[in-house]
Amino acid sequence: VVTRRPGSIVRTARSGAEARLVFPGSFVAGPVKLFWAFDFVARTETFAVRDIPGWYSDDERVVVTRALVRAGFLGIVPRARNEMGEGG
C-alpha cells in the first residue's frame, strides 16, 4: 500500500506519445498508455498497487509505482498501519 506525500499538488498531462505526472519539484513521464494510471494516482491519496485500474499488467503497475516512490511522490505505508486497516 502506498500514499501520496502530504501536501502534494499534482497534475497530469499528455502530449503526443508521452504522459506526465507533474508535482512540486519533479515529474514522472512515460508512454501515453500510462496516462490513466497517472490520473488514478493523482486522484487517489492511498491505494494498493493492484488497485490501479486499467489493462495494465501487474508488472506495469509495480514499475509505475516504484518510479513514483523513487521520484518522491509516493511513500510506502508502514506494514503495521496497513494491517490495522488504515491507509487502504
Side-chain angles (χ1 to χ4, degrees):
V1 175
V2 292
T3 192
R4 287 196 326 232
R5 300 286 182 191
S8 293
I9 298 170
V10 62
R11 69 181 176 86
T12 56
R14 58 181 164 185
S15 177
E18 183 181 76
R20 284 185 178 208
L21 181 77
V22 182
F23 51 96
S26 193
F27 69 91
V28 174
V32 73
K33 81 178 246 177
L34 294 180
F35 177 78
W36 299 113
F38 288 167
D39 185 61
F40 171 80
V41 169
R43 292 180 291 107
T44 310
E45 187 171 330
T46 302
F47 60 93
V49 175
R50 70 179 171 273
D51 294 339
I52 298 173
W55 56 93
Y56 308 107
S57 70
D58 290 342
D59 288 342
E60 289 171 319
R61 287 179 175 95
V62 169
V63 167
V64 168
T65 303
R66 281 185 181 157
L68 294 171
V69 169
R70 279 194 304 269
F73 179 71
L74 294 176
I76 298 170
V77 174
R79 186 173 204 101
R81 183 175 161 209
N82 184 18
E83 289 173 356
M84 292 186 311
E86 297 175 17

